[in-house]
Amino acid sequence: MNKSIIKFIAPIMIGMFFLAGCSSKSATTSKKTTLNLMQSSDLTTLDNTNQATMSEFSTLTNLDEGLYKLNSKNKVVPAIAKSIAKPTNNGKTYTIKLRKNARWSNGDKVTAQDFVYSWRRSVDPANNPVYTYVFSGIKNADAIVAGKLAPTKLGIKAKGKYTLVITLEHPMQSFNKLVTMPVFLPQDKTFVQKVGTKKYGTSAKYTVSNGAFKITNWTGTNSSYTLVKNEYYYAKKKVALTKINYTTVKDDNTAYNLFKTNKLDDATVSGVIAQGLQNNKNLKKVSRAWTYYLQVNQSSNSPLANAKLRKAISLVINRKQLTQKVLADGSTAAGSFVSPKTATDPTTGKDFSEETATSTTADVKKAKKLWKEGLAQIGKSSVTLNLIAEDTDTQKNVAEYIQSTIQSKLSNVTVKVQNLPAKSLSSKKSAGDFDLSLWYWLADYADPINYLGILTSGNSMNPGKYSDSAYDTYIAKAQTAQTTAAYWSNLRKAEKQLQESTGIIPLYYVKEDHLVQSGLKGVIYHTAGFADYTRAYWK
């Protein structure tokens, strides 16, 4: 997830979550009903149809519900849908009945038309959507995104007020997990049209939600805001908290100090701060389906369009040193794009990441040879590379390490680093104004296709312009696979092709260090997706 889609924030790329087993706790039995959380970047929008940032998705996880969500065992369960629908028409049609007691925070009923309206907006080129690739496979989605068909032709329609019919172009093995992502949330059509699509989701007064909470005290530009209990939520009796306060915290030292003074109840830390807290009783280690990597600009005017130069940069990076000395938070070296524990390949019984990973050992000698050959191929004696990253402590430290490594290990190269706010970083990437960009992918749902699918040619989540016909073919075959064996075989081939062509440069897999106040219970930290605090309570 993900346009600007950061640092290790307490709440992350892609669904809505549900915590079973906490419903017995109610607000009347809790000693405390307020929770203080952090984001690592400011919230810029809550319009799920044209954004995909971590701050947005983590907030939406606690504001809204879609058709389905994940429970504490990472299983898909009904949310606004009454039950998990079984597909008909050879796996291509889903008829989903919606609950009739779901309401928006302004009292409006949640209807099938709200899903139709939101999904159409999410593929409409006029809305500048950035997460369109996840709709591929839904009837006519690709043609609509390409501007060849009207959004009204998308394979979703309302059959009455509370029945939704979704039509696919081919069976999709991960469909139920896919629609737990925030991008598939509904929107109150009446409200959005009343305030206007340009204003919707830009501040609290222009936003409504259908989940456990609603947002307040957000102007659209401030660095703190509050979620308050939604009186219209159909399961409000299961929600113990009355308020969640969010504050943007960009550096680890501040996060730690706010936690020590009880101003944060769940804080994420890394680097030197995390290293000194490994034996702290409040430390909780959270495994994430989350890979940090370098996006590499491969457009024709970039020196890194040269494959040998890209490979050389990858080979000089000592990932073990990066994770153990710079991050020091339990994160591990990445040898593939898909992170460990995301999914088990059912055809081999092996962890997909582990079975497709390449060596993470640096090879400076080979790198120097490739670098020299690459410079000769592009006809240059030296190059200057622009590395951009977000202005968080973690990304600053990692960017500085990458800069130092490249300049010290390779000759005739200068690396200039810019650390920027999320919005500015996104703008630069959209404009192609970079050579290297420090970025990450946090899986929105637990399937390798959620990672690999974003790097196909022309994908909106692929600002490095990686384009490889063999890779595109493998992904297309996986997406239309009729058998489990064909699906996983093509995914393995795609991961291998990505690594051989150095389409991106994987750096490390995130292990999130949380400082959690004693007494906070009921929070669920999914490996894929974002933390769900909707059933949290104080003991």
Side-chain angles (χ1 to χ4, degrees):
M1 107 228 224
N2 171 330
K3 166 186 167 187
S4 162
I5 348 186
I6 318 209
K7 161 190 161 141
F8 308 167
I9 72 173
I12 50 204
M13 2 175 194
I14 317 44
M16 299 291 293
F17 310 129
F18 175 75
L19 178 60
C22 301
S23 58
S24 61
K25 299 289 181 180
S26 68
T28 58
T29 60
S30 298
K31 295 180 179 180
K32 182 179 176 182
T33 60
T34 298
L35 185 61
N36 297 309
L37 302 177
M38 62 178 278
Q39 298 276 26
S40 66
S41 62
D42 289 343
L43 184 65
T44 58
T45 182
L46 283 172
D47 182 348
N48 62 290
T49 64
N50 62 11
Q51 283 289 332
T53 65
M54 285 175 59
S55 58
E56 177 206 6
F57 273 16
S58 63
T59 304
L60 286 171
T61 295
N62 295 287
L63 281 177
D64 289 292
E65 290 189 351
L67 294 170
Y68 307 141
K69 53 189 174 185
L70 300 180
N71 66 10
S72 59
K73 297 180 180 179
N74 294 312
K75 300 297 183 182
V76 176
V77 295
I80 302 301
K82 293 175 67 175
S83 61
I84 304 298
K86 293 184 178 180
T88 57
N89 186 28
N90 296 316
K92 294 190 292 184
T93 301
Y94 287 79
T95 301
I96 303 174
K97 301 288 185 179
L98 306 184
R99 60 170 62 248
K100 296 180 180 181
N101 61 340
R103 290 181 178 271
W104 294 98
S105 54
N106 62 355
D108 290 350
K109 291 183 177 181
V110 180
T111 67
Q113 189 59 45
D114 291 336
F115 284 92
V116 175
Y117 180 70
S118 177
W119 289 24
R120 286 176 177 174
R121 287 195 69 219
S122 292
V123 295
D124 186 351
N127 194 40
N128 298 315
V130 298
Y131 230 62
T132 54
Y133 87 94
V134 296
F135 285 84
S136 184
I138 297 175
K139 187 177 179 180
N140 295 328
D142 292 337
I144 295 168
V145 172
K148 298 177 181 178
L149 287 176
T152 54
K153 299 296 184 180
L154 185 66
I156 181 173
K157 65 180 181 180
K159 187 179 180 181
K161 200 168 185 177
Y162 298 107
T163 300
L164 198 62
V165 180
I166 300 167
T167 305
L168 310 181
E169 292 179 342
H170 52 77
M172 295 172 64
Q173 296 193 29
S174 59
F175 179 77
N176 287 346
K177 286 185 178 180
L178 176 71
V179 298
T180 65
M181 292 174 56
V183 72
F184 290 98
L185 290 169
Q187 290 185 352
D188 184 351
K189 180 180 179 180
T190 302
F191 179 84
V192 176
Q193 291 184 333
K194 179 181 178 181
V195 302
T197 56
K198 297 296 184 182
K199 288 185 177 180
Y200 176 70
T202 59
S203 68
K205 69 177 181 179
Y206 296 130
T207 304
V208 291
S209 56
N210 70 349
F213 297 93
K214 62 181 179 180
I215 191 166
T216 63
N217 302 326
W218 179 53
T219 64
T221 58
N222 52 328
S223 297
S224 62
Y225 53 94
T226 301
L227 308 188
V228 298
K229 192 170 181 178
N230 178 12
E231 62 179 310
Y232 291 105
Y233 181 47
Y234 68 87
K236 65 180 180 181
K237 291 182 179 179
K238 296 182 179 181
V239 180
L241 297 176
T242 59
K243 185 184 297 184
I244 299 178
N245 297 313
Y246 279 100
T247 302
T248 300
V249 181
K250 295 185 178 182
D251 68 275
D252 297 303
N253 191 55
T254 299
Y256 178 50
N257 287 330
L258 289 173
F259 179 82
K260 284 196 302 180
T261 55
N262 296 313
K263 293 178 181 178
L264 280 179
D265 298 314
D266 187 338
T268 50
V269 292
S270 61
V272 175
I273 296 295
Q275 190 173 22
L277 295 170
Q278 293 306 298
N279 296 318
N280 189 292
K281 65 179 181 179
N282 293 108
L283 188 70
K284 179 180 180 63
K285 287 189 171 293
V286 178
S287 295
R288 310 293 280 155
W290 191 357
T291 304
Y292 258 83
Y293 64 102
L294 287 173
Q295 294 173 327
V296 188
N297 192 338
Q298 293 158 67
S299 56
S300 58
N301 62 340
S302 172
L304 297 183
N306 183 275
K308 290 188 175 181
L309 295 184
R310 298 197 302 271
K311 178 64 73 175
I313 289 174
S314 181
L315 286 173
V316 296
I317 298 172
N318 186 329
R319 292 163 175 81
K320 184 176 180 180
Q321 185 180 62
L322 171 62
T323 55
Q324 294 185 357
K325 302 298 182 182
V326 179
L327 296 167
D329 58 2
S331 296
T332 55
S336 65
F337 188 25
V338 179
S339 61
K341 297 184 179 180
T342 295
T344 298
D345 182 342
T347 64
T348 64
K350 298 178 181 179
D351 181 277
F352 182 86
S353 177
E354 295 176 358
E355 72 176 349
T356 58
T358 56
S359 173
T360 59
T361 303
D363 189 339
V364 177
K365 182 178 179 180
K366 183 177 180 180
K368 288 183 174 181
K369 179 176 181 295
L370 289 172
W371 187 256
K372 183 178 180 180
E373 293 172 352
L375 288 178
Q377 286 180 350
I378 66 173
K380 292 188 176 183
S381 58
S382 64
V383 294
T384 297
L385 303 177
N386 295 311
L387 167 59
I388 59 175
E390 201 171 5
D391 59 348
T392 62
D393 269 10
T394 298
Q395 291 209 21
K396 286 178 181 178
N397 293 338
V398 174
E400 183 179 331
Y401 176 81
I402 298 299
Q403 176 191 42
S404 175
T405 297
I406 294 175
Q407 291 184 157
S408 64
K409 303 299 183 183
L410 299 174
S411 60
N412 303 316
V413 57
T414 299
V415 179
K416 295 182 178 179
V417 174
Q418 275 187 292
N419 290 98
L420 305 162
K423 205 166 188 177
S424 298
L425 182 68
S426 177
S427 296
K428 270 192 171 293
K429 289 200 293 186
S430 296
D433 187 12
F434 71 99
D435 295 300
L436 295 166
S437 174
L438 180 61
W439 203 232
Y440 61 87
W441 188 255
L442 171 66
D444 303 299
Y445 58 99
D447 194 290
I449 196 70
N450 186 237
Y451 292 81
L452 301 173
I454 70 169
L455 295 177
T456 51
S457 299
N459 193 291
S460 59
M461 307 303 291
N462 179 16
K465 307 300 181 185
Y466 172 61
S467 182
D468 185 285
S469 58
Y471 182 84
D472 290 346
T473 298
Y474 294 137
I475 294 300
K477 287 183 176 179
Q479 290 173 329
T480 59
Q482 299 294 311
T483 67
T484 300
Y487 181 73
W488 290 92
S489 173
N490 280 292
L491 289 181
R492 289 194 299 270
K493 291 175 181 177
E495 177 72 71
K496 182 179 179 180
Q497 184 65 23
L498 177 64
Q499 295 175 32
E500 288 181 348
S501 58
T502 321
I504 61 168
I505 300 175
L507 297 174
Y508 62 93
Y509 306 123
V510 174
K511 177 78 75 171
E512 220 172 47
D513 280 353
H514 285 247
L515 287 171
V516 183
Q517 300 288 2
S518 59
L520 179 59
K521 306 295 180 183
V523 182
I524 187 164
Y525 303 93
H526 289 283
T527 300
F530 298 84
D532 179 4
Y533 296 90
T534 63
R535 301 299 191 272
Y537 62 95
W538 290 96
K539 186 174 181 181

